[in-house]
Coordinates of all heavy atoms in Angstrom, one line a residue:
M24 N 143.7 117.0 191.2 CA 143.2 116.0 190.3 C 142.2 116.6 189.3 O 142.2 116.3 188.1 CB 142.5 114.9 191.1 CG 142.0 113.7 190.2 SD 143.4 112.8 189.6 CE 142.6 111.5 188.8
N25 N 141.4 117.5 189.8 CA 140.4 118.2 188.9 C 141.1 119.0 187.9 O 140.6 119.1 186.7 CB 139.4 119.0 189.8 CG 138.2 119.4 189.1 OD1 137.9 118.8 188.0 ND2 137.5 120.3 189.6
D26 N 142.2 119.6 188.2 CA 142.9 120.5 187.2 C 143.5 119.6 186.1 O 143.4 120.0 184.9 CB 144.0 121.2 187.9 CG 144.7 122.2 187.0 OD1 144.0 122.9 186.3 OD2 146.0 122.3 187.1
I27 N 143.9 118.4 186.4 CA 144.5 117.5 185.4 C 143.4 117.1 184.4 O 143.6 117.1 183.2 CB 145.1 116.3 186.1 CG1 146.3 116.7 186.9 CG2 145.5 115.2 185.1 CD1 146.9 115.6 187.7
I28 N 142.2 116.8 185.0 CA 141.1 116.4 184.1 C 140.7 117.6 183.2 O 140.4 117.3 182.0 CB 139.9 116.0 185.0 CG1 140.3 114.7 185.7 CG2 138.6 115.8 184.1 CD1 139.2 114.2 186.7
K29 N 140.7 118.8 183.7 CA 140.4 119.9 182.8 C 141.4 120.1 181.7 O 141.1 120.4 180.6 CB 140.3 121.2 183.7 CG 139.1 121.3 184.6 CD 139.1 122.6 185.3 CE 137.9 122.7 186.3 NZ 138.0 123.9 187.1
Q30 N 142.7 119.9 182.0 CA 143.7 120.0 181.0 C 143.6 118.9 179.9 O 143.7 119.2 178.7 CB 145.1 119.8 181.7 CG 145.5 121.0 182.5 CD 146.8 120.8 183.3 OE1 147.4 119.7 183.1 NE2 147.3 121.7 184.0
I31 N 143.3 117.7 180.3 CA 143.0 116.7 179.4 C 141.9 117.0 178.5 O 141.9 116.8 177.3 CB 142.8 115.3 180.1 CG1 144.1 114.9 180.8 CG2 142.3 114.2 179.1 CD1 144.0 113.7 181.7
H32 N 140.8 117.5 179.1 CA 139.6 117.9 178.3 C 139.9 119.0 177.3 O 139.4 118.9 176.2 CB 138.5 118.3 179.3 CG 137.2 118.6 178.6 ND1 136.4 117.6 178.0 CD2 136.5 119.7 178.5 CE1 135.4 118.2 177.5 NE2 135.4 119.5 177.7
V33 N 140.6 120.0 177.7 CA 141.0 121.1 176.8 C 141.8 120.6 175.7 O 141.6 120.9 174.5 CB 141.7 122.2 177.6 CG1 142.4 123.2 176.7 CG2 140.8 122.9 178.6
R34 N 142.8 119.7 176.0 CA 143.6 119.1 174.9 C 142.8 118.3 173.9 O 143.0 118.4 172.7 CB 144.7 118.3 175.5 CG 145.9 119.1 175.9 CD 147.1 118.2 176.3 NE 147.1 118.1 177.7 CZ 147.4 117.1 178.4 NH1 147.8 116.0 177.9 NH2 147.4 117.1 179.7
K35 N 141.8 117.6 174.5 CA 141.0 116.8 173.6 C 140.1 117.6 172.7 O 140.0 117.3 171.5 CB 140.1 115.9 174.5 CG 139.2 114.9 173.8 CD 138.4 114.1 174.8 CE 137.5 113.1 174.1 NZ 136.7 112.4 175.1
L36 N 139.6 118.7 173.2 CA 138.8 119.6 172.4 C 139.6 120.3 171.3 O 139.2 120.4 170.2 CB 138.1 120.7 173.3 CG 137.0 120.2 174.2 CD1 136.5 121.4 175.1 CD2 135.9 119.6 173.4
E37 N 140.9 120.7 171.7 CA 141.7 121.3 170.7 C 142.1 120.3 169.6 O 142.1 120.7 168.4 CB 143.0 121.7 171.4 CG 142.9 123.0 172.2 CD 144.1 123.3 173.0 OE1 145.2 122.6 172.8 OE2 144.1 124.2 173.8
R38 N 142.3 119.1 169.9 CA 142.6 118.0 168.9 C 141.4 117.8 168.0 O 141.6 117.6 166.8 CB 143.0 116.7 169.7 CG 143.4 115.6 168.7 CD 144.7 115.9 168.1 NE 145.0 114.7 167.3 CZ 145.7 114.8 166.1 NH1 146.1 115.9 165.7 NH2 146.0 113.7 165.4
R39 N 140.2 117.8 168.6 CA 139.0 117.6 167.8 C 138.9 118.8 166.7 O 138.5 118.6 165.6 CB 137.8 117.6 168.6 CG 137.4 116.3 169.2 CD 136.1 116.4 169.9 NE 135.9 115.2 170.7 CZ 134.9 115.0 171.5 NH1 134.0 116.0 171.7 NH2 134.7 113.9 172.2
K40 N 139.1 120.0 167.2 CA 139.1 121.2 166.3 C 140.1 121.0 165.2 O 139.8 121.4 164.0 CB 139.3 122.5 167.1 CG 138.1 122.8 167.9 CD 138.3 124.1 168.7 CE 137.2 124.4 169.7 NZ 137.5 125.6 170.5
Q41 N 141.3 120.6 165.5 CA 142.3 120.4 164.5 C 141.9 119.4 163.5 O 142.1 119.6 162.3 CB 143.7 120.0 165.2 CG 144.3 121.1 166.0 CD 145.5 120.6 166.8 OE1 145.8 119.4 166.8 NE2 146.2 121.5 167.4
L42 N 141.4 118.3 164.0 CA 141.0 117.2 163.0 C 139.8 117.7 162.2 O 139.8 117.3 161.0 CB 140.6 116.0 163.8 CG 141.7 115.1 164.4 CD1 141.2 114.0 165.3 CD2 142.5 114.5 163.3
A43 N 138.9 118.4 162.7 CA 137.8 118.9 161.9 C 138.2 119.9 160.8 O 137.6 119.9 159.8 CB 136.8 119.6 162.9
A44 N 139.3 120.6 161.0 CA 139.8 121.5 160.1 C 140.6 120.8 158.9 O 140.8 121.4 157.9 CB 140.7 122.6 160.7
L45 N 141.0 119.6 159.1 CA 141.7 118.9 158.1 C 140.9 118.5 156.9 O 139.7 118.2 157.1 CB 142.4 117.7 158.7 CG 143.6 117.9 159.7 CD1 144.0 116.5 160.2 CD2 144.7 118.6 159.0
P46 N 141.4 118.4 155.7 CA 140.7 117.9 154.6 C 140.4 116.4 154.8 O 141.2 115.7 155.5 CB 141.5 118.2 153.4 CG 142.9 118.5 153.9 CD 142.7 118.9 155.3
V47 N 139.4 115.9 154.1 CA 139.0 114.5 154.2 C 140.2 113.5 153.8 O 140.4 112.5 154.5 CB 137.8 114.2 153.4 CG1 137.4 112.7 153.4 CG2 136.6 115.0 153.9
G48 N 140.9 113.9 152.8 CA 142.0 113.0 152.3 C 143.1 112.9 153.4 O 143.6 111.8 153.6
E49 N 143.3 113.9 154.1 CA 144.3 113.9 155.2 C 143.8 113.0 156.3 O 144.6 112.2 156.9 CB 144.6 115.3 155.7 CG 145.7 115.4 156.7 CD 147.1 115.0 156.2 OE1 147.3 115.0 155.0 OE2 148.0 114.7 157.1
K50 N 142.5 113.1 156.7 CA 142.0 112.3 157.7 C 142.0 110.8 157.3 O 142.3 110.0 158.2 CB 140.5 112.7 158.0 CG 140.3 114.0 158.6 CD 138.8 114.3 158.7 CE 138.6 115.8 159.1 NZ 137.2 116.1 159.2
L51 N 141.7 110.5 156.1 CA 141.8 109.1 155.6 C 143.2 108.6 155.7 O 143.5 107.4 156.1 CB 141.3 109.0 154.2 CG 139.8 109.2 154.1 CD1 139.4 109.2 152.6 CD2 139.0 108.1 154.8
R52 N 144.2 109.4 155.3 CA 145.6 109.0 155.4 C 146.0 108.7 156.9 O 146.7 107.7 157.1 CB 146.5 110.1 154.8 CG 148.0 109.7 154.8 CD 148.9 110.8 154.5 NE 148.8 111.9 155.5 CZ 149.4 111.8 156.7 NH1 150.1 110.8 157.0 NH2 149.3 112.9 157.5
M53 N 145.6 109.6 157.8 CA 145.9 109.3 159.2 C 145.2 108.1 159.7 O 145.8 107.3 160.4 CB 145.4 110.5 160.0 CG 146.2 111.8 159.8 SD 145.5 113.2 160.6 CE 145.6 112.8 162.3
L54 N 144.0 107.8 159.3 CA 143.3 106.6 159.7 C 144.0 105.3 159.1 O 144.2 104.4 159.9 CB 141.9 106.6 159.1 CG 141.0 105.4 159.5 CD1 140.8 105.2 161.0 CD2 139.6 105.6 158.8
E55 N 144.5 105.4 157.9 CA 145.2 104.3 157.3 C 146.5 104.0 158.1 O 146.9 102.9 158.4 CB 145.6 104.5 155.9 CG 144.4 104.4 155.0 CD 144.7 104.8 153.5 OE1 145.8 105.3 153.3 OE2 143.8 104.7 152.7
E56 N 147.2 105.1 158.5 CA 148.4 104.9 159.3 C 148.1 104.3 160.7 O 148.8 103.4 161.2 CB 149.1 106.3 159.5 CG 149.7 106.8 158.3 CD 150.3 108.2 158.5 OE1 150.2 108.7 159.6 OE2 150.9 108.7 157.6
M57 N 147.0 104.7 161.3 CA 146.6 104.2 162.6 C 146.3 102.7 162.5 O 146.6 101.9 163.3 CB 145.4 104.9 163.2 CG 145.8 106.3 163.6 SD 144.5 107.4 164.2 CE 143.0 106.5 164.4
L58 N 145.6 102.3 161.4 CA 145.2 100.9 161.2 C 146.5 100.1 160.9 O 146.6 98.9 161.4 CB 144.2 100.8 160.0 CG 142.8 101.3 160.3 CD1 142.0 101.2 159.0 CD2 142.2 100.4 161.3
A59 N 147.4 100.6 160.2 CA 148.6 99.9 159.9 C 149.4 99.7 161.2 O 150.0 98.6 161.4 CB 149.5 100.6 158.9
A60 N 149.5 100.7 162.0 CA 150.2 100.5 163.3 C 149.5 99.5 164.2 O 150.2 98.7 164.9 CB 150.2 101.9 164.0
T61 N 148.2 99.5 164.2 CA 147.4 98.5 165.0 C 147.7 97.1 164.5 O 147.9 96.2 165.3 CB 145.9 98.8 164.9 OG1 145.7 100.1 165.4 CG2 145.1 97.8 165.8
R62 N 147.7 96.9 163.2 CA 148.0 95.6 162.6 C 149.4 95.2 163.0 O 149.7 94.0 163.2 CB 147.8 95.6 161.1 CG 146.4 95.7 160.7 CD 146.3 95.5 159.2 NE 144.9 95.8 158.8 CZ 144.6 96.9 158.0 NH1 145.5 97.7 157.6 NH2 143.3 97.1 157.7
A63 N 150.4 96.1 163.0 CA 151.7 95.8 163.3 C 151.9 95.3 164.7 O 152.6 94.4 165.1 CB 152.7 97.0 163.0
I64 N 151.1 96.0 165.6 CA 151.1 95.6 167.0 C 150.5 94.2 167.2 O 151.1 93.4 167.9 CB 150.4 96.6 167.9 CG1 151.2 97.9 167.9 CG2 150.2 96.1 169.3 CD1 150.4 99.1 168.5
S65 N 149.4 94.0 166.6 CA 148.7 92.7 166.8 C 149.5 91.6 166.1 O 149.5 90.4 166.6 CB 147.3 92.7 166.2 OG 147.3 92.9 164.8
A66 N 150.2 91.9 165.0 CA 151.0 90.8 164.4 C 152.3 90.5 165.2 O 152.8 89.4 165.1 CB 151.5 91.3 163.0
S67 N 152.7 91.4 166.0 CA 154.0 91.1 166.8 C 153.7 90.5 168.2 O 154.6 90.2 168.9 CB 154.7 92.4 167.0 OG 154.0 93.4 167.7
R68 N 152.4 90.3 168.5 CA 152.1 89.7 169.8 C 152.4 88.3 169.8 O 152.2 87.6 168.8 CB 150.6 89.9 170.1 CG 150.2 91.2 170.6 CD 148.8 91.2 171.2 NE 147.9 90.2 170.8 CZ 146.6 90.3 170.7 NH1 146.0 91.4 171.1 NH2 145.8 89.4 170.3
P69 N 152.9 87.7 170.9 CA 153.3 86.3 170.9 C 152.0 85.5 170.8 O 150.9 85.9 171.4 CB 154.0 86.1 172.2 CG 153.6 87.3 173.0 CD 153.3 88.4 172.1
S70 N 152.1 84.3 170.2 CA 150.9 83.5 170.1 C 150.7 82.7 171.4 O 151.6 82.5 172.2 CB 151.1 82.4 169.0 OG 152.2 81.6 169.3
K71 N 149.4 82.3 171.6 CA 149.1 81.6 172.9 C 149.7 80.2 172.8 O 149.8 79.6 171.7 CB 147.6 81.5 173.0 CG 147.0 82.9 173.3 CD 145.5 82.7 173.5 CE 144.9 84.1 173.8 NZ 143.5 84.0 174.0
P72 N 150.0 79.5 173.9 CA 150.5 78.2 173.8 C 149.4 77.2 173.3 O 148.2 77.4 173.5 CB 150.8 77.9 175.3 CG 150.1 78.9 176.1 CD 149.9 80.1 175.2
K73 N 149.9 76.2 172.5 CA 148.9 75.3 171.9 C 148.3 74.4 173.0 O 147.1 74.1 172.9 CB 149.7 74.4 170.9 CG 150.3 75.2 169.8 CD 149.3 75.7 168.9 CE 149.9 76.5 167.7 NZ 149.0 77.2 166.9
N74 N 149.1 73.9 173.9 CA 148.5 73.0 175.0 C 148.8 73.7 176.3 O 149.8 73.5 176.9 CB 149.2 71.6 174.9 CG 148.9 70.9 173.6 OD1 147.8 71.0 173.2 ND2 149.9 70.2 173.1
P75 N 147.8 74.4 176.8 CA 148.0 75.1 178.1 C 148.1 74.0 179.2 O 147.5 72.9 179.1 CB 146.8 75.9 178.3 CG 145.8 75.4 177.3 CD 146.5 74.7 176.2
I76 N 148.9 74.3 180.2 CA 149.1 73.4 181.4 C 147.8 73.4 182.2 O 147.2 74.5 182.5 CB 150.2 73.9 182.3 CG1 151.5 73.9 181.4 CG2 150.3 73.0 183.5 CD1 152.7 74.5 182.2
R77 N 147.3 72.2 182.5 CA 146.1 72.1 183.3 C 146.5 71.4 184.5 O 147.1 70.3 184.5 CB 145.0 71.3 182.5 CG 144.6 72.1 181.3 CD 143.4 71.4 180.6 NE 143.0 72.2 179.5 CZ 142.2 71.8 178.5 NH1 141.7 70.6 178.6 NH2 142.0 72.6 177.5
W78 N 146.1 72.0 185.6 CA 146.4 71.5 186.9 C 145.3 70.5 187.3 O 144.1 70.8 187.2 CB 146.5 72.6 188.0 CG 147.6 73.5 187.7 CD1 147.5 74.7 187.0 CD2 149.0 73.3 187.9 NE1 148.7 75.3 186.9 CE2 149.6 74.5 187.4 CE3 149.7 72.3 188.6 CZ2 151.0 74.6 187.6 CZ3 151.1 72.5 188.7 CH2 151.7 73.6 188.2
S79 N 145.7 69.3 187.7 CA 144.7 68.3 188.2 C 144.6 68.3 189.7 O 145.6 68.6 190.4 CB 145.0 66.9 187.7 OG 146.3 66.5 188.2
K80 N 143.5 68.0 190.2 CA 143.3 67.9 191.7 C 143.8 66.6 192.2 O 143.1 65.6 191.9 CB 141.9 68.2 192.1 CG 141.4 69.6 191.7 CD 140.0 69.8 192.2 CE 139.6 71.2 191.8 NZ 138.2 71.5 192.2
T81 N 144.9 66.5 192.8 CA 145.4 65.3 193.4 C 145.4 65.4 194.9 O 146.4 65.5 195.5 CB 146.8 65.0 192.9 OG1 147.6 66.1 193.2 CG2 146.8 64.7 191.4
V82 N 144.2 65.3 195.5 CA 144.1 65.4 196.9 C 143.9 64.1 197.5 O 143.3 63.2 197.1 CB 142.9 66.4 197.3 CG1 142.7 66.5 198.8 CG2 143.1 67.7 196.7

């Protein structure tokens, strides 16, 4: 388990270095894509029921 955590940490650090090396315009483009993807996911979620079923106590 400890080895897996180290691998994840190393990948995270590498990704941070890659992002730091990118120009600001590229970072903004990536951020816009991430926001668009998030909006698409939230727009495709089913809506909650209007009148949820409520159980009454009939004891």
